[in-house]
């Protein structure tokens, strides 16, 4: 007679079988194949030819790789902290408001529903150097705005500012965690006479630091892989009007190598370099930031 | 003093709300302006016109693109929700050897950047002769997705076990317990999964760029990019066309948001507290 344990295991495996099959076909095999392809020269039409570590050597000699890495780092370093500060600020404001919070939350979240390709187009129009909305707004204060979309020095700041438009989901996440901070902590701080700033810095921020930490890691990983907005606005068929080096993000260069130039082997090597870079950055972030993250019930 | 603070907070929130909403209003109003007035920044168009919408419809097979997107989006969302829920239930309810290790593996796959598997997965679809069709945009969802499996499992874990055990003793089989009892109880998480994946599939640009060749198979975001390449970078800028197409691309997402606002906000709020 079959044991209960056997029957239970068989039932469980049936339920999780879709994922196991999918994992083998669409994750495990591609990872192995990608490692192999990164050691070959492959254009899809002809069979892959084995070239050892040549692709990896090329990586370090390719000036575009250095450029793309620099652009991606700069964008990440500029956008992630700004996004965090802005979304924390908005969440704090929302949390201290008593009325119409539902309306404001909706207002902040709505841009998140805009398809990234439309955001790329909106970027080109809002930040248009001659007659865009942003420069017209600056003009009100007598400021002569820069040529955001054509001046290489201003392309990344423009992308960073545009990325602030979609902080809505971070605001919602931070707000949820603000609501979880126990009121007693504030009450006793008020008795001690602590002002708003002090309460925010000493109580609120430490109490929600796990959430901020989570957003910091996730936003960084996303920023390191950003593609759509920059690709829409600065790359693609027929786009010869811009010197778009300033917007060449790593994911864009990888995409071009794989699907525009059909350098599948080289693109695979680029993908592995990205993987290592993301892992290394995430590990460093976790090690460094852990000291500032407060977990209730001790650090575990 | 208290009152002043309230007014200040309200003023700040209102200023930010304007900054977040204004680009929509500007885009919408510009789509009703003739080209010469697109950049005049008036909220109400001086010359009100529907021409842009008519022209976009003439220049691009927008109806076809919408139908393609809707097909891909519905299939992607339904497929990923059903299979992810099944897998999540498998991990949440049953006790079996290797459960922790397998689930750890599943979580680990979330850390793998999409770039690593992008090329080999393309080659699989290429070998199957599916490049150029809509299939690669959704069929992978038939195998569930790690993030949703994780989300749904968390939800299933929160359900009490007793009713399921009782049903089992009464002779219900595992499939019945899952479809008739567990799944209905987990409706909020199922709705969140459907909405999230619907949005992800509707707004995706990278995969349509990789897999679609012919304009007749384009999804709306892919078509929008093609319009930008043609009417923007192709020479003289036709902002009014590109912009009107952007409005049309965005509207379905806005409608979706207002239909599922409560679930969206709840779903987003809970994803963060898992960290």
């Amino acid at each position: 007679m079959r044991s209960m344990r056997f029957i239970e295991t068989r039932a469980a495996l049936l339920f999780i079988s879709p994922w196991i099959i999918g994992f083998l076909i669409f994750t495990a095999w591609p990872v192995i194949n990608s490692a192999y392809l990164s050691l070959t020269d492959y254009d899809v039409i002809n069979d892959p030819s084995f070239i050892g570590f040549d692709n990896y050597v090329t990586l370090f000699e390719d000036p575009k790789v250095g450029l793309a890495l620099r652009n991606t780092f700069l964008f990440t370093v500029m956008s992630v902290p700004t996004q965090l500060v802005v979304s924390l600020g908005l969440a704090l404001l929302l949390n201290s408001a008593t009325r119409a919070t539902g309306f404001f939350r909706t207002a902040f979240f709505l841009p998140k529903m805009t398809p990234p390709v439309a955001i790329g187009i909106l970027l080109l129009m809002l930040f248009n150097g001659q007659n865009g909305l942003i420069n017209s707004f600056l003009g009100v204060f007598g400021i002569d705005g820069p040529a955001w979309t054509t001046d290489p020095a201003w392309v990344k700041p423009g992308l960073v500012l545009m990325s602030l438009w979609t902080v809505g989901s971070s605001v919602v996440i931070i707000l949820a965690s603000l609501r979880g901070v126990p009121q007693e902590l504030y009450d006793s701080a008020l008795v001690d006479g602590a002002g708003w700033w002090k309460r925010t810095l000493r109580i609120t921020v430490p109490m929600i630091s796990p959430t901020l930490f989570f957003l910091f890691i996730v936003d960084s990983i996303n920023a390191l892989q950003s593609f759509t907005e920059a690709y829409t606005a600065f790359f693609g068929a027929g786009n010869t009007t811009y010197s778009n080096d300033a917007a060449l993000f790593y994911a864009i260069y990888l995409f071009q190598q794989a699907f525009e130039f059909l350098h599948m082997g080289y693109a695979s090597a680029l993908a592995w370099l990205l993987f290592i870079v993301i892992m290394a950055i995430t590990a460093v972030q976790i090690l460094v930031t852990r000291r500032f993250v407060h977990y209730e019930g001790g650090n575990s | 003093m208290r009152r002043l603070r309230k007014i200040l907070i309200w003023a700040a929130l209102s200023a930010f709300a304007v900054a977040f909403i204004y680009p929509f209003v500007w885009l919408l109003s510009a789509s009703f302006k003739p080209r010469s007035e697109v950049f005049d920044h008036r909220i109400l168009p001086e010359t009100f016109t529907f021409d842009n919408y008519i022209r976009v419809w003439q220049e691009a097979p927008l109806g076809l693109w919408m139908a393609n997107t809707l097909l891909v989006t519905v299939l992607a969302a339904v497929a990923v929700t059903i299979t992810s829920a099944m897998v999540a239930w498998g991990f949440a309810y049953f006790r079996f050897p290797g459960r922790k290790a397998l689930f750890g593996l599943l979580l680990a796959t979330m850390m793998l950047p999409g770039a690593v598997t992008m090329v080999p997965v393309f080659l699989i679809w290429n070998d199957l002769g599916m490049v150029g069709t809509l299939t690669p945009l959704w069929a992978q969802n038939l195998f569930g997705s790690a993030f949703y499996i994780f989300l749904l499992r968390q939800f299933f874990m929160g359900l009490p076990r007793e009713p399921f055990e009782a049903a089992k003793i009464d002779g219900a089989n595992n499939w019945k317990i899952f479809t008739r009892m567990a799944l209905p109880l987990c409706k909020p998480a199922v709705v969140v999964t459907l909405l999230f994946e619907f949005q992800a599939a509707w707004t995706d640009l990278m995969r349509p760029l990789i897999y679609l060749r012919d304009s007749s198979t384009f999804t709306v975001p892919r078509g929008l990019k093609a319009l930008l390449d043609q009417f923007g970078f192709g020479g003289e800028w036709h902002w009014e066309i590109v912009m009107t197409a952007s409005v049309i691309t965005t509207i379905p997402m806005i409608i979706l948001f207002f239909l599922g606002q409560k679930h969206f906000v709840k779903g987003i709020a809970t994803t963060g507290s898992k960290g």
Side-chain angles (χ1 to χ4, degrees), chain A residues 8 11-12 18-19 30 34 37 44 90 106 109 112-114 125 131 136 165 173 232-233 235 237-238 264 275, chain B residues 16 20 24 39 41 95-96 106 113 116 119-120 123 126 143 174 199 225 228-229 233 239 243 253 257 261 268:
Chain A
E8 173 118 344
W19 174 71
S34 170
L37 285 173
V44 188
L90 288 176
T106 304
F109 193 82
K112 194 71 202 170
M113 299 305 286
T114 312
M125 289 187 284
N131 38 20
S136 303
W165 196 47
I173 290 173
T232 302
F235 298 88
M264 295 287 175
F275 177 59
Chain B
F16 276 111
F20 277 77
F24 282 120
F39 280 109
H41 304 320
R95 306 270 173 270
F96 58 98
L106 180 131
V116 173
V119 166
L123 295 173
N126 192 43
F143 304 99
N174 281 318
Q199 186 197 15
K225 177 62 180 144
L228 178 69
D229 290 343
F233 302 129
W239 285 113
M243 192 151 62
M253 285 296 95
F257 175 69
Q261 192 181 3
I268 300 254

Side-chain angles (χ1 to χ4, degrees), chain A residues 9-291:
Chain A
T9 304
R10 194 181 55 181
L13 286 179
L14 275 176
F15 273 96
I16 62 175
S17 58
W19 174 71
I20 294 181
I21 296 166
F23 170 78
L24 293 174
I25 300 175
F26 290 109
T27 307
W29 161 246
V31 165
I32 296 166
N33 198 18
S34 170
Y36 164 69
L37 285 173
S38 75
L39 305 175
T40 67
D41 193 6
Y42 185 39
D43 62 358
V44 188
I45 301 140
N46 304 296
D47 284 340
S49 64
F50 190 82
I51 53 168
F53 286 94
D54 282 9
N55 284 328
Y56 290 95
V57 175
T58 315
L59 275 183
F60 289 99
E61 289 163 357
D62 184 347
K64 290 242 170 179
V65 171
L67 176 74
L69 276 176
R70 245 191 333 272
N71 285 340
T72 312
F73 279 138
L74 268 173
F75 175 73
T76 307
V77 167
M78 288 195 284
S79 71
V80 175
T82 347
Q83 282 175 20
L84 263 185
V85 168
V86 169
S87 40
L88 176 63
L90 288 176
L92 283 172
L93 276 174
L94 264 178
N95 199 36
S96 29
T98 43
R99 256 175 245 205
T101 46
F103 165 77
F104 287 120
R105 203 185 46 195
T106 304
F108 299 150
F109 193 82
L110 260 186
K112 194 71 202 170
M113 299 305 286
T114 312
V117 61
I119 295 179
I121 288 172
L122 206 51
L123 166 88
L124 285 177
M125 289 187 284
L126 295 178
F127 287 87
N128 189 294
Q130 284 145 27
N131 38 20
L133 195 61
I134 303 286
N135 279 359
S136 303
F137 179 72
L138 291 175
V140 173
F141 303 98
I143 301 168
D144 205 7
W148 300 90
T149 53
T150 46
D151 180 349
W154 287 97
V155 162
K156 273 186 286 288
L159 280 162
V160 170
L161 283 175
M162 198 68 215
S163 79
L164 290 180
W165 196 47
T166 49
V167 293
S169 54
S170 301
V171 175
V172 170
I173 290 173
I174 296 175
L175 191 61
S177 108
L178 283 176
R179 297 262 152 95
V181 180
Q183 187 61 40
E184 301 92 79
L185 288 176
Y186 293 113
D187 295 341
S188 55
L190 270 173
V191 172
D192 294 343
W196 185 86
W197 265 115
K198 209 163 189 182
R199 290 200 303 274
T200 304
L201 283 178
R202 296 281 169 80
I203 301 173
T204 313
V205 172
M207 284 303 284
I208 64 164
S209 55
T211 301
L212 296 177
F213 176 64
F214 167 80
L215 287 174
F216 177 60
I217 300 287
V218 172
D219 287 352
S220 304
I221 292 176
N222 288 337
L224 289 170
Q225 300 182 71
S226 18
F227 173 82
T228 305
E229 289 86 345
Y231 183 84
T232 302
F234 300 107
F235 298 88
N239 180 5
T240 49
T241 32
Y242 293 118
S243 76
N244 43 27
D245 275 358
L248 186 75
F249 288 155
Y250 197 87
I252 293 174
Y253 188 55
L254 203 163
F255 174 87
Q256 290 182 326
Q257 284 294 338
F259 301 105
E260 284 174 16
F261 314 142
L262 294 180
H263 297 158
M264 295 287 175
Y266 189 49
S268 300
L270 282 167
W272 282 104
L273 179 66
L274 178 68
F275 177 59
I276 293 162
V277 167
I278 290 181
M279 282 294 146
I281 290 179
T282 312
V284 169
Q285 283 176 333
I286 291 175
L287 286 177
V288 174
T289 357
R290 195 178 256 165
R291 307 195 306 129

